[in-house]
Amino acid sequence: MTMGLSEKTVLIAGGGSGIGEATALAFAEAGCQVAIAGRNEEKLKAVADRHPNIRFHRADVSNREEALELVDWANKTLGRIDILMNSAGINIPKRSIGEIDPADWDRVMQVNATGAFNTIYAVLPQMRERKDGLIINISSVSGLRPGVLGGVAYNASKFAMTALGTCVGNEVRNEGVRVTNVYPGEVETPILDQRPVPVSKEHRARILQPEDIASMIVAIAQLPPRAHVPDLVIKPTIQEHL
């Protein structure tokens, strides 16, 4: 049995492109009221213009004050936050320990790990009070098995995000709140543009598309509150599973 989503509200950090954009549209099509946030207001507006159920607010969730302001705005705009999705993520071209700029390490950790902490910290109290809520963290297979391709900062940040989601999920498991960590393999998103070696059009066409991830997230959200999916790995068929 699946639950209807027509009365649910969703806040997506990193909703201006990629997986966040696709999931915002999927939730909106399912009848949810959706709020998206990110650093690029132009991209956010372009997504919001595609569906009347989507609103947007510019915010950098790696900044704790902006994250708190975002959640306050979302509460006022949506009335409450039933589903929180953390999809804000970055990577850098110079990824090895021998060439990374320490400032880039700080920025990747701040966006990918601290950004997720900031939104969870701000949203969780209302979910615990209602004894209901779903938090979706878009981690990566790099958050399960570190590899050279992702680089030291990205791998470390995604491992941190994985641990964050698992710990919070265990902490609130008896309070009606579910936390799901999603571990995508290669996905055709703008983060590929930061690869040290350019990715061909042919390869981009063969890997996962953002809507593939979005469909799985909506399916998880449609489960009854008694059902919890703690972890979900989804990868392109062509990608090795280690």
Side-chain angles (χ1 to χ4, degrees):
M1 178 180 177
T2 59
M3 295 179 59
L5 297 176
S6 60
E7 296 183 359
K8 295 295 184 179
T9 60
V10 185
L11 172 61
I12 299 178
S17 64
I19 296 171
E21 175 184 6
T23 308
L25 291 166
F27 272 129
E29 283 295 320
C32 298
Q33 295 300 313
V34 182
I36 60 174
R39 293 171 295 163
N40 189 315
E41 188 166 356
E42 185 176 338
K43 288 183 178 180
L44 295 170
K45 184 179 184 304
V47 177
D49 286 344
R50 295 178 62 186
H51 202 286
N53 286 7
I54 301 178
R55 302 158 178 84
F56 71 93
H57 185 80
R58 199 217 72 80
D60 180 354
V61 294
S62 70
N63 180 301
R64 189 154 297 132
E65 287 188 9
E66 290 192 27
L68 293 174
E69 289 172 1
L70 167 65
V71 171
D72 184 58
W73 167 83
N75 282 326
K76 291 176 181 177
T77 302
L78 302 176
R80 66 184 186 280
I81 300 169
D82 294 316
I83 301 169
L84 168 67
M85 176 169 152
N86 286 306
S87 188
I90 62 170
N91 204 348
I92 50 178
K94 294 183 178 181
R95 303 177 176 185
S96 72
I97 192 66
E99 62 180 356
I100 190 172
D101 184 332
D104 284 339
W105 164 276
D106 292 342
R107 183 61 180 157
V108 171
M109 292 296 292
Q110 200 165 7
V111 172
N112 296 0
T114 302
F117 168 82
N118 288 342
T119 58
I120 292 172
Y121 182 81
V123 170
L124 193 57
Q126 62 174 280
M127 292 183 172
R128 299 178 93 162
E129 183 177 353
R130 291 195 307 267
K131 297 191 178 301
D132 183 59
L134 174 63
I135 297 171
I136 303 284
N137 294 321
I138 304 301
S139 183
S140 166
V141 292
S142 294
L144 292 173
R145 304 167 192 88
V148 174
L149 182 61
V152 293
Y154 188 78
N155 282 296
S157 70
K158 290 302 186 177
F159 262 76
M161 192 184 204
T162 295
L164 170 67
T166 301
C167 288
V168 173
N170 285 333
E171 184 178 331
V172 299
R173 71 188 188 281
N174 293 318
E175 300 176 65
V177 183
R178 290 88 63 206
V179 182
T180 297
N181 288 331
V182 180
Y183 309 99
E186 284 191 288
V187 188
E188 164 64 302
T189 69
I191 203 168
L192 289 185
D193 297 333
Q194 296 299 312
R195 286 272 181 91
V197 178
V199 182
S200 69
K201 290 182 179 180
E202 293 76 16
H203 187 75
R204 287 174 181 261
R206 297 178 69 196
I207 60 178
L208 293 172
Q209 302 302 304
E211 55 266 26
D212 301 332
I213 312 298
S215 65
M216 296 302 296
I217 291 170
V218 171
I220 289 170
Q222 289 175 323
L223 291 170
R226 65 176 179 268
H228 174 218
V229 179
D231 299 285
L232 174 67
V233 177
I234 177 169
K235 69 172 189 66
T237 302
I238 62 170
Q239 184 175 350
E240 184 178 11
H241 183 51
L242 300 176

